[in-house]
Amino acid sequence: MDGWEVVIGLEVHAELATATKLFSGARNEFGGEPNTHVDPVSLGLPGSLPVLNEKAVELAIRVGLALNCVVQASEFARKNYFYPDMPKDFQISQFDQPINGEGWLELPDGRSIGIERAHLEEDTGKSTHVGGGGRIHEAAYSLVDYNRAGVPLIEIVGKPDLRSAEDARAYVSELRAILVTIGASDGKMEEGSMRVDCNVSVRPVGDEELGTRCEVKNINSLRSLGRAIAYESRRQVDLITSGQKIDQQTRHWNEEDGRTHTLRSKEEAFDYRYFPEPDLVPVAPSAEWIDEIRAAMPLLPGERRRRLADESGIHPEAAALTVERGLDDLALAAMDLGAEPARVLVHVENNLADGQGGLTAEAFASLVVMETGGDLTATQAKTVLADLVDSGGDPVDVAAGHGFEAMESSELEGLVGGLITDHPEDWEAFVGGDEGERKKKSGFFVGQIMKATRGQADGRVVNEILERLADGT
Amino acid sequence: MSAVSLAASVRSGGRSARSIVEDHLAAIEAGEDEIHAFNLVMADSALERADRVDAVVAAGGDPGPLAGVPVVLKDNMCTRGVPTTCGSRILDGWRPPYDATVVQRLEVAGAVLVGKTNMDEFAMGSSTENSAFGPTHNPRDTSRVPGGSSGGSAAAVAAGFAPLALGSDTGGSIRQPAALCGVVGVKPTYGAVSRYGLVAFASSLDQIGPFANSVADAALLLEAVAGHDPMDSTSIPAVAPDLLGVLDRGVEGLRVGIIEEISGSGPTGLEGFSPDVQSRLAEAGEALAAAGAIVEKASVPSTVFGLSAYYVIAPAEASSNLARFDGVRFGLRVDAENTVDMNAATRTAGFGDEVKRRIMLGTYALSAGYYDAYYGKSQKVRTLIVEDFARAYESFDLLLSPTAPTTAFPIGEKVDDPMLMYLNDVCTIPSNLAGHPAMSVPFGVGDDGLPVGVQVLAPANGEPSMFRAAAVLEAAAGGAL
Amino acid sequence: MKPDSDVSVPGRITRDDVAYVARLARLNLSDTELEAFTGQLADVLDHAADLEALDLDGVAPTSHPLPLSNVLRPDVPAVESADEVDHRLFCDEVLAAAPAVEENRFRVPPVLGEAP
Ligand SMILES: [Mg+2]
Ligand SMILES: [Zn+2]
């Protein structure tokens, strides 16, 4: 793929975390017995009418604010097409007047990805294909459950600003983190509450003009997103380099064979006959309402990364994992209490993958202070930290319980002296070597001491002793 | 006997609801074969209901303003557990699992549902000949149509089968049959009566309204069903106005304009109005003037474009509203190899020609490349009509026109010429496009001895003055008839 | 495939147009019906041609007769536990009214292709 650039734009549908559906009081709950979270509206029964859910609008506005969109007066429209999982045979969506106009999302590496719009619409029901191994084309018949029909969705249409599968995954991860942080969605791709459609095109590096794109549907995980983009871009490059043209198509990602397959071409595109939904009136959120929602917004992942970076003096991208794990508040509090930032972040990355458990900011801070003060070795600190996460408590007590006591310097000096006597060539090399050689040999000595003390020694103190003894010779 | 006095006698214990219902069931028994006003007569449940009303009275309670009064419903309003057909085969066997808001309100008001009335399929028509269950006959002359699409409701009231009926009006479907059957028919302001549970034809135009033998009875029924409903986003968020209390206030000082363009009298107006209809309109104007109103000619020029705009907008909305009749969840299914063919086979067998015609017309008007030329343009014409009315209402409190260009026409005369049929609605359509209230009041007869209706139009929420003028016309016509 | 169309001045509706919209609307028409409907639709659309004479530049479209906005519903389930019995009844009635049901789901013949 050398010499080719992949251009990707994503459309993400996320189910909003409301108690009820977008246009009626039927429950918005995943699963449940088939056709029980229904009412005349979500079944599209004759005579039923939609009434807009206030919470769904509020969550949509939160999404808009989080994505730096213009939040604006909006209208609903009908998108007409026949499909059995769509009860009215039209979807109520937003067309030319979405509630959120243009905006942008900042990736952890600082790049900004354009957002075209983020609009409200209703979800469809779910079909199960019976017979033919559950595949749609070979099924004997299908069964439809309308529990999901009418669940509020926000469709976030991104601009074609992504350039690789990694970009796309970073974008979706970041978007999911934002949606979860602001309470708009649970972001569970595996339950289908977040679904990604992917527009892919390729062009020779340096070309300004966009290539013909294909839309890839049925991507159910971050992993398949990456695989689908890799496959589809390769396919397109192969076609072009073999002298063929790209046909603008909608394609289906097949997880099993790892390929995309034609669903339909542009010529078969649907004539949706959009027109303003006459059963609903316009939604024009007032400036006061928007301000109120803005004021109640929590800090977003990007802001949290920046905050942590400012405090700890590291690069925002390096703060990403801590924020992703939701441990930035803990880390910041520990730093406030005097813990060394770098040490705090090392522990979060290496030893707190499963969350903070019973660990308080106070305990975390005093543990790190003990460690950096030489009262605990790194290995001991790790052991104590694991206990604190499991069952809380005070690190001083926990360390004492393990019998961890800082080894006296004089004791260590004796050990180091014995080691030098036993390994004179290594000592010569350490004393007389260049920087690289010196480093290598210090590693050897520290390792031997650690072995001898079963991790009780402090590596930094051992190094200090080595330096001192070398200077003295 | 009027609905007002029937309700009063039941509430006071003077008469049992059961006896009233029995009388009306007897009238239906005697006349229904000839008229065919009903798709369903609910004799058993009506008698049960009447007994419950009587029990409330016996226990010293108040069963409500419509206590024991028989009411019939156009068959496009959902009644839980009771077949609702919309005059179509496609809803074969469907019993809605819920009640329309108006049905709930009638229950609260103490009314007794007596039956579901015949209609043009999905309310598309002006003669009730487009019902899958055969035409309804005009009780004034059974060789003629009752008008439509709420022809069954109009005929039921005119035949004495029930003192009150509800219909729906998208382009004149209450007012035109009311005129042709010689009863009062009201299309309220858009949003005055909840549409929840009314099977939609054209959502931005549909309104439920009453039929009655008198203006007062119509007011009684409208008061019972009107008022804000949180289940309908387009419901007016206000308390419905008092109508019965203002009926006797007269029209002294009200300014009334006769719309030239839709009465066949202006130079730029529409044609096809019969001279006797025009004479009755003139006499109605004189009657209002005699009662103290200031009556003048009025011009609402864009009303002449109403018909064209309507026959794009209404089919467009209908094409979408009627998509759900696909054989998947309710009603008819004609099986086929796959879902696409099943949908098509079901719809082909289930819908009649007029419905197919309008679905295709609306689909075409919305389809890629034609939206701006048809739907977009018609929505702009709608704006012109709204603006023209607003200008007229700067000078007038009320407007006047014929309800329909002619009296009732013979069954079969126009059914094969859709465009000729559509012309029946020229006077009534503008109010639907503007969302304004309008009502038809019987005012004398034509040369053929058949009833003529006069239409009173008012601005949005202008029902109180509209009903006052209607009451004056009713009193004047009583002398003339 | 949709026939070519001109946005500003649409020509008279053709048989192909009617066949196209019939397919879109899921209606099967015989040749005779196609012929008859084409003529009737053309009559109605010819009548609408009188709108051509109007100057509609700068006129805003009206899609709602009522000037309402922001009609919103609180996010509260309509079915409280007290009505659970009635809700069950409703669900049963819905399924009982369906043309074909299996395992409390609506049964349909094979679906041709994915949703758009
Ligand atoms: Mg999309
Ligand atoms: Zn979408």
Side-chain angles (χ1 to χ4, degrees):
Chain A
M1 298 260 300
D2 268 0
W4 292 88
E5 182 177 49
V6 188
V7 177
I8 303 155
L10 299 181
E11 286 178 25
V12 175
H13 285 83
E15 290 182 350
L16 294 173
T18 55
T20 65
K21 295 191 175 176
L22 184 54
F23 297 118
S24 74
R27 290 181 195 281
N28 170 13
E29 264 173 36
F30 180 72
E33 242 180 279
N35 293 303
T36 53
H37 302 323
V38 293
D39 59 8
V41 180
S42 47
L43 288 164
L45 295 186
S48 63
L49 294 172
V51 185
L52 183 58
N53 185 337
E54 178 173 27
K55 182 77 182 182
V57 178
E58 188 197 317
L59 294 180
I61 293 172
R62 274 196 224 171
V63 173
L65 293 175
L67 297 178
N68 311 291
C69 294
V70 186
V71 180
Q72 58 197 16
S74 67
E75 269 186 21
F76 286 92
R78 291 186 184 177
K79 180 181 184 181
N80 294 285
Y81 64 91
F82 283 88
Y83 206 75
D85 66 17
M86 219 173 42
K88 303 179 295 295
D89 291 301
F90 60 78
Q91 181 194 31
I92 304 179
S93 181
Q94 296 192 310
F95 183 49
D96 48 6
Q97 297 187 56
I99 182 140
N100 299 305
E102 289 198 336
W104 45 270
L105 173 149
E106 192 189 309
L107 293 180
D109 68 10
R111 273 184 300 155
S112 141
I113 305 301
I115 303 290
E116 187 75 47
R117 55 190 281 155
H119 68 257
L120 274 167
E121 62 184 27
E122 57 180 343
D123 208 344
T124 61
K126 246 180 184 159
S127 304
T128 309
H129 308 298
V130 182
R135 277 183 295 277
I136 189 165
H137 302 287
E138 293 138 54
Y141 58 91
S142 299
L143 298 174
V144 193
D145 169 16
Y146 294 102
N147 279 353
R148 199 182 65 179
V151 162
L153 292 175
I154 186 101
E155 178 178 340
I156 301 149
V157 182
K159 293 190 176 171
D161 291 350
L162 303 164
R163 293 292 177 267
S164 67
E166 294 68 46
D167 275 9
R169 288 163 52 152
Y171 171 88
V172 173
S173 298
E174 184 65 10
L175 184 55
R176 180 164 61 183
I178 290 172
L179 295 178
V180 171
T181 300
I182 62 177
S185 180
D186 65 17
K188 291 181 185 163
M189 279 185 94
E190 64 283 6
E191 284 185 9
S193 58
M194 196 167 150
R195 308 192 280 272
V196 180
D197 296 336
C198 184
N199 288 294
V200 180
S201 66
V202 296
R203 63 182 172 192
V205 170
D207 263 23
E208 288 288 306
E209 210 178 313
L210 287 172
T212 305
R213 70 191 155 88
C214 287
E215 184 177 15
V216 183
K217 290 184 174 273
N218 191 44
I219 295 167
N220 298 320
S221 67
L222 280 184
R223 198 176 107 83
S224 22
L225 176 64
R227 291 177 70 204
I229 291 170
Y231 175 84
E232 179 59 20
S233 49
R234 172 92 259 167
R235 186 187 73 87
Q236 293 185 12
V237 169
D238 286 350
L239 274 177
I240 297 170
T241 48
S242 67
Q244 288 169 273
K245 280 183 89 174
I246 305 293
D247 178 26
Q248 186 173 336
Q249 286 178 341
T250 302
R251 300 179 67 84
H252 181 91
W253 167 250
N254 186 325
E255 188 68 48
E256 285 155 41
D257 66 8
R259 302 157 72 127
T260 63
H261 301 265
T262 311
L263 265 183
R264 60 183 163 271
S265 69
K266 193 191 177 197
E267 284 69 40
E268 296 166 73
F270 287 75
D271 188 344
Y272 291 124
R273 289 155 287 138
Y274 280 100
F275 73 103
E277 164 57 276
D279 287 324
L280 289 166
V281 300
V283 195
S286 67
E288 296 82 65
W289 193 24
I290 297 173
D291 286 345
E292 216 175 279
I293 294 170
R294 195 195 314 269
M297 291 271 280
L299 275 184
L300 299 174
E303 296 165 323
R304 285 162 56 184
R305 281 195 300 270
R306 209 162 298 124
R307 181 181 62 156
L308 189 57
D310 287 350
E311 192 75 19
S312 60
I314 59 163
H315 190 271
E317 214 177 341
L321 188 64
T322 303
V323 170
E324 204 179 300
R325 291 194 174 149
L327 295 175
D328 47 325
D329 279 340
L330 174 77
L332 283 167
M335 291 173 196
D336 269 357
L337 291 168
E340 188 188 290
R343 206 62 218 147
V344 166
L345 293 178
V346 165
H347 279 306
V348 170
E349 281 198 21
N350 298 336
N351 306 323
L352 294 175
D354 299 321
Q356 72 184 87
L359 176 69
T360 64
E362 288 73 18
F364 194 16
S366 77
L367 173 85
V368 171
V369 168
M370 284 164 76
E371 188 188 0
T372 50
D375 294 338
L376 286 176
T377 66
T379 315
Q380 290 170 334
K382 185 174 173 172
T383 306
V384 173
L385 188 58
D387 281 12
L388 293 173
V389 169
D390 278 350
S391 38
D394 186 320
V396 174
D397 301 340
V398 175
H402 278 283
F404 295 157
E405 269 164 66
M407 197 168 276
E408 290 301 322
S409 278
S410 54
E411 203 179 327
L412 263 182
E413 246 169 276
L415 283 172
V416 173
L419 200 61
I420 290 171
T421 315
D422 292 349
H423 300 278
E425 296 85 23
D426 294 294
W427 179 245
E428 282 303 309
F430 178 82
V431 174
D434 58 8
E435 203 180 322
E437 185 63 19
R438 206 173 180 137
K439 211 167 177 188
K440 214 164 110 194
K441 286 299 160 191
S442 91
F444 165 76
F445 284 114
V446 171
Q448 289 295 315
I449 293 290
M450 285 299 181
K451 213 180 201 173
T453 62
R454 269 175 277 111
Q456 298 242 6
D458 187 325
R460 272 179 313 156
V461 177
V462 174
N463 256 320
E464 277 167 27
I465 294 169
L466 287 169
E467 295 288 342
R468 198 156 13 98
L469 291 175
D471 285 351
T473 52
Chain B
M1 217 177 171
S2 73
V4 171
S5 45
L6 287 174
S9 66
V10 171
R11 294 168 89 179
S12 67
R15 220 190 137 176
S16 73
R18 174 169 266 269
S19 74
I20 293 169
V21 171
E22 280 172 345
D23 284 359
H24 286 90
L25 288 173
I28 294 169
E29 182 75 38
E32 169 64 0
D33 275 355
E34 209 181 349
I35 305 300
H36 186 220
F38 291 98
N39 291 335
L40 179 73
V41 178
M42 302 155 61
D44 293 343
S45 68
L47 289 169
E48 256 171 58
R49 167 76 175 137
D51 288 345
R52 275 189 285 131
V53 171
D54 288 333
V56 171
V57 176
D62 181 355
L66 291 176
V69 179
V71 179
V72 296
L73 285 183
K74 187 176 184 178
D75 206 12
N76 58 355
M77 296 174 213
C78 289
T79 40
R80 186 167 188 175
V82 176
T84 299
T85 70
C86 296
S88 182
R89 292 274 173 222
I90 209 159
L91 278 172
D92 242 9
W94 187 54
R95 293 166 189 263
Y98 77 108
D99 276 326
T101 296
V102 289
V103 173
Q104 293 173 14
R105 294 201 174 172
L106 287 175
E107 170 79 22
V108 170
V112 179
L113 284 193
V114 169
K116 307 287 296 276
T117 59
N118 197 19
M119 56 185 283
D120 285 303
E121 186 176 5
F122 284 102
M124 297 176 184
S126 309
S127 68
T128 316
E129 291 166 288
N130 294 333
S131 167
F133 311 111
T136 294
H137 298 256
N138 191 321
R140 311 285 177 192
D141 176 347
T142 55
S143 72
R144 295 184 183 249
V145 302
S149 63
S150 315
S153 283
V157 171
F161 297 161
L164 297 176
L166 285 178
S168 66
D169 189 314
T170 306
S173 281
I174 292 174
R175 291 159 288 161
Q176 183 257 13
L180 270 50
C181 290
V183 298
V184 175
V186 185
K187 183 202 92 75
T189 303
Y190 184 80
V193 179
S194 169
R195 291 185 294 119
Y196 190 75
L198 168 71
V199 181
F201 163 13
S203 310
S204 76
L205 304 165
D206 295 341
Q207 236 333 256
I208 290 175
F211 287 97
N213 283 307
S214 69
V215 173
D217 280 3
L220 177 72
L221 179 53
L222 181 52
E223 282 187 359
V225 295
H228 182 245
D229 177 15
M231 300 296 281
D232 177 354
S233 303
T234 62
S235 171
I236 297 170
V239 178
D242 175 25
L243 300 173
L244 279 170
V246 304
L247 282 185
D248 57 1
R249 293 210 183 147
V251 291
E252 183 87 53
L254 283 186
R255 300 161 301 165
V256 179
I258 299 178
I259 308 176
E260 290 194 284
E261 291 85 358
I262 54 168
S263 55
S265 53
T268 58
L270 297 163
E271 287 158 18
F273 289 82
S274 74
D276 41 353
V277 167
Q278 290 175 306
S279 306
R280 293 302 92 75
L281 176 67
E283 290 155 23
E286 285 157 21
L288 290 173
I294 302 134
V295 181
E296 286 168 17
K297 284 181 182 169
S299 176
V300 191
S302 53
T303 51
V304 298
F305 298 108
L307 190 75
S308 295
Y310 175 86
Y311 276 99
V312 170
I313 293 168
E317 293 183 10
S319 70
S320 174
N321 283 329
L322 269 58
R324 71 190 67 190
F325 299 93
D326 59 5
V328 174
R329 289 159 302 275
F330 46 79
L332 184 72
R333 170 183 295 185
V334 176
D335 249 310
E337 287 293 295
N338 59 62
T339 293
V340 172
D341 290 350
M342 183 276 282
N343 293 154
T346 300
R347 292 164 63 78
T348 301
F351 290 138
D353 281 353
E354 183 59 26
V355 173
K356 288 177 184 167
R357 201 147 38 227
R358 296 208 200 180
I359 287 175
M360 288 189 287
L361 190 56
T363 304
Y364 181 71
L366 291 174
S367 66
Y370 296 103
Y371 182 95
D372 290 334
Y374 292 112
Y375 192 76
K377 188 166 279 178
S378 297
Q379 296 285 53
K380 290 178 175 185
V381 171
R382 199 169 179 178
T383 306
L384 295 188
I385 291 173
V386 170
E387 287 171 353
D388 271 6
F389 269 124
R391 248 187 308 277
Y393 285 123
E394 281 168 16
S395 315
F396 299 101
D397 299 299
L398 296 170
L399 296 170
L400 218 58
S401 82
T403 305
T406 66
T407 57
F409 46 91
I411 292 176
E413 187 183 88
K414 301 181 183 180
V415 77
D416 293 323
D417 187 343
M419 202 57 232
L420 189 66
M421 186 70 90
Y422 297 171
L423 286 166
N424 262 284
D425 304 326
V426 286
C427 305
T428 46
I429 278 170
S431 302
N432 298 85
L433 290 172
H436 293 169
M439 66 191 286
S440 180
V441 189
F443 200 84
V445 296
D447 296 342
D448 48 14
L450 291 168
V452 170
V454 164
Q455 181 177 226
V456 186
L457 302 86
N461 302 310
E463 277 90 343
S465 50
M466 178 176 87
F467 269 83
R468 283 161 60 192
V472 168
L473 289 174
E474 179 179 51
L481 268 167
Chain C
M1 182 57 213
K2 185 173 177 52
D4 284 342
S5 60
D6 183 329
V7 178
S8 53
V9 187
R12 202 174 158 88
I13 190 168
T14 64
R15 244 180 96 106
D16 285 350
D17 290 331
V18 177
Y20 170 75
V21 293
R23 254 198 323 279
L24 264 186
R26 301 260 158 110
L27 293 169
N28 301 327
L29 299 185
S30 68
D31 282 353
T32 345
E33 284 174 317
L34 198 54
E35 201 60 50
F37 281 130
T38 304
Q40 289 163 343
L41 297 194
D43 282 354
V44 180
L45 292 168
D46 280 352
H47 196 273
D50 63 4
L51 304 183
E52 297 291 333
L54 289 169
D55 179 15
L56 296 167
D57 280 356
V59 177
T62 295
S63 40
H64 294 91
L66 269 184
L68 281 176
S69 63
N70 297 327
V71 176
L72 300 167
R73 173 182 66 77
D75 184 29
V76 178
V79 183
E80 297 306 336
S81 43
D83 318 314
E84 205 51 66
V85 175
D86 189 57
H87 180 65
R88 271 335 272 227
L89 212 60
F90 167 82
C91 296
D92 291 348
E93 285 173 51
V94 165
L95 292 169
V101 166
E102 193 173 303
E103 293 167 346
N104 287 344
R105 287 175 290 181
F106 296 84
R107 183 178 162 153
V108 293
V111 180
L112 295 179
E114 316 264 339

